[in-house]
Amino acid sequence: GDSVTQMEGPVTLSEEAFLTINCTYTATGYPSLFWYVQYPGEGLQLLLKATKADDKGSNKGFEATYRKETTSFHLEKGSVQVSDSAVYFCAISGGSYIPTFGRGTSLIVHP
Amino acid sequence: GAVVSQHPSRVICKSGTSVKIECRSLDFQATTMFWYRQFPKQSLMLMATSNEGSKATYEQGVEKDKFLINHASLTLSTLTVTSAHPEDSSFYICSARDFTSGGKGETQYFGPGTRLLVL
């Protein structure tokens, strides 16, 4: 079945540092790829998505590119802020449109 | 983006009582909603798929008599935890697929979650 592997956290950075959270997947066909963010005590919010190979999803300074050749969808941001501290989930969605989530990566940004 | 609400956001109940959690799609119709459970510092576990006008589809290992799901309208699904026990304490999150924004429904929009504590 489909699976998602995310780098284990927590990832701890200083404000304005560069962020990369790795995500790789295994799936049949051509899934859609997503990054969701969960702030403490809240539900998940869609951060960005890409639905086909080489698409780049972007939002709030975050971006990720759908790399079919490496089955990856790494999340990046050039300059993180304290307010970006949250848990980030990578997810894929195939024909059934029921997403498979990674385990989540906690990001902690210090001032 | 589409908005999904949940009510209540937090509930504390005594062991043996039943608790109902509502999930509403506020600005779109959702023929399908999903219920997840999340344990501390873990990912989401899909419990069931709620289909408007028909029975819910439960994932393996989820007790359908324990977690009753009703999808009474295109904007409302409810999850009732019957005879709740402390081990049912968790964070419950619903989501819905939006087919009305020009997409294929591949994106799920999540509610803010309901934290259940059973004493």
Side-chain angles (χ1 to χ4, degrees):
Chain A
D2 296 351
S3 68
V4 176
T5 303
Q6 281 182 243
M7 60 188 294
E8 289 201 19
V11 173
T12 304
L13 296 172
S14 297
E15 204 165 25
E16 298 183 2
F18 184 86
L19 168 71
T20 299
I21 300 179
N22 290 338
C23 172
T24 58
Y25 66 92
T26 58
T28 54
Y30 300 91
S32 296
L33 308 180
F34 307 86
W35 276 101
Y36 286 89
V37 58
Q38 184 177 33
Y39 297 101
E42 299 183 13
L44 272 67
Q45 299 176 26
L46 177 66
L47 181 59
L48 53 84
K49 70 177 183 181
T51 58
K52 61 182 187 295
D54 299 324
D55 267 3
K56 177 185 285 188
S58 62
N59 185 26
K60 299 181 181 178
F62 292 90
E63 58 182 35
T65 301
Y66 191 142
R67 300 288 188 200
K68 186 159 173 49
E69 64 276 13
T70 55
T71 61
S72 65
F73 194 54
H74 304 321
L75 181 68
E76 296 181 337
K77 186 174 185 181
S79 177
V80 293
Q81 305 300 311
V82 173
S83 57
D84 293 328
S85 298
V87 180
Y88 292 81
F89 291 92
C90 183
I92 66 173
S93 174
S96 69
Y97 297 138
I98 298 176
T100 298
F101 288 91
R103 293 177 61 86
T105 301
S106 175
L107 170 64
I108 302 169
V109 181
H110 293 296
Chain B
V3 178
V4 175
S5 71
Q6 275 184 248
H7 178 79
S9 58
R10 179 184 294 267
V11 58
I12 301 173
C13 69
K14 293 182 179 180
S15 185
T17 60
S18 294
V19 175
K20 180 185 284 188
I21 302 170
E22 292 185 349
C23 177
R24 293 182 186 273
S25 57
L26 297 185
D27 51 0
F28 66 100
Q29 294 182 332
T31 54
T32 304
M33 292 183 173
F34 303 89
W35 287 96
Y36 295 84
R37 185 172 179 176
Q38 185 180 33
F39 293 99
K41 299 187 187 303
Q42 294 192 26
S43 190
L44 282 70
M45 180 191 79
L46 179 65
M47 298 174 65
T49 302
S50 171
N51 303 298
E52 189 267 337
S54 65
K55 291 183 179 180
T57 304
Y58 290 82
E59 296 300 301
Q60 193 172 8
V62 177
E63 300 176 59
K64 59 181 67 176
D65 294 330
K66 173 75 169 175
F67 299 99
L68 299 180
I69 291 173
N70 183 273
H71 197 145
S73 76
L74 287 171
T75 58
L76 174 64
S77 174
T78 60
L79 169 68
T80 301
V81 183
T82 62
S83 186
H85 291 283
E87 58 267 28
D88 299 323
S89 299
S90 192
F91 194 51
Y92 292 89
I93 305 175
C94 73
S95 71
R97 287 161 57 185
D98 177 17
F99 288 91
T100 59
S101 301
K104 297 177 290 185
E106 70 273 10
T107 302
Q108 291 208 15
Y109 294 93
F110 288 81
T114 297
R115 183 151 317 272
L116 171 63
L117 176 61
V118 185
L119 302 177

